[in-house]
Amino acid sequence: EVQLVESGGGLVQPGGSLRLSCTASGFTFSRYEMTWVRQAPGKGLEWVSYITSSGSTIYYADSVKGRFAISRDNAKNSLYLQMNSLRAEDTAVYYCARVAVAHYGMDVWGQGTTVTVSS
Amino acid sequence: EIVMTQFPATLSVSPGERATLSCRASQSVSSNLAWYQQKPGQAPRLLIYGASTRATGIPARFSGSGSGTEFTLTISSLQSEDFAVYYCQQYNNWPPLTFGGGTKVEIK
């Protein structure tokens, strides 16, 4: 079964850091580009970051640029999101998602991990 | 940045009726548009890509159309499991990848 499982969410104070992980199974992770998408409580979807299959190309949303870092370890079938200098507005469910081969839609999603930034 | 606008924000439909959802891009995205369905407490699910191609396992009652700046998702006969929030997303000109604000399809 093709699956993505996120972990690492939790409660963190403003200015703090958190590292999210996403573990893939059921497909050849190293062949796929990956993204992080977040959803604030009661709000819509917001793209956060993207990484190519090799990790050679990375993009960020302006809202997280300079504070978040995406990375991957293909040997461990894992995607990461290092989040620093967290703000209240970063509070959201964070999803990792697989980028489809033939287009840039997202064809597989994890169940999400919740990040709450609050004092 | 391409801004995606969805309307209406909420659509009230009776089971068995047709639902028509709209998505507009602030500039042309060609046919590089996807639609997603999200139910409460669940992750989004890819329905349509390339504006009109159903993703694997998506029932034929879901159809997408449009190109350029105007797009439509049609659900031909609403089933109980179709009541959800639907998002469009463009991938023509990015970063950033951008989503519309969503349309909630609720039971009338």
Side-chain angles (χ1 to χ4, degrees), chain A residues 2-116:
Chain A
V2 173
Q3 196 171 11
L4 297 169
V5 178
E6 301 95 335
S7 60
L11 174 64
V12 61
Q13 292 187 339
S17 297
L18 215 53
R19 189 195 196 205
L20 306 183
S21 298
C22 170
T23 302
S25 59
F27 65 99
T28 305
F29 177 73
S30 61
R31 294 182 181 176
Y32 287 87
E33 301 161 16
M34 298 293 295
T35 67
W36 287 97
V37 174
R38 68 185 180 182
Q39 187 169 36
K43 302 297 184 182
L45 302 171
E46 179 189 15
W47 170 76
V48 173
S49 185
Y50 157 94
I51 187 169
T52 52
S53 56
S54 66
S56 60
T57 298
I58 286 171
Y59 299 126
Y60 298 100
D62 286 347
S63 58
V64 306
K65 200 173 295 184
R67 300 186 299 121
F68 288 13
I70 191 173
S71 63
R72 65 191 296 161
D73 185 336
N74 287 339
K76 295 183 178 180
N77 292 332
S78 293
L79 176 73
Y80 306 102
L81 187 67
Q82 176 67 42
M83 303 187 296
N84 300 326
S85 303
L86 282 161
R87 306 166 180 168
E89 54 264 36
D90 296 318
T91 294
V93 176
Y94 284 74
Y95 297 101
C96 64
R98 188 179 81 174
V99 178
V101 170
H103 55 89
Y104 284 94
M106 300 161 203
D107 64 350
V108 179
W109 295 68
Q111 86 289 350
T113 187
T114 300
V115 173
T116 303

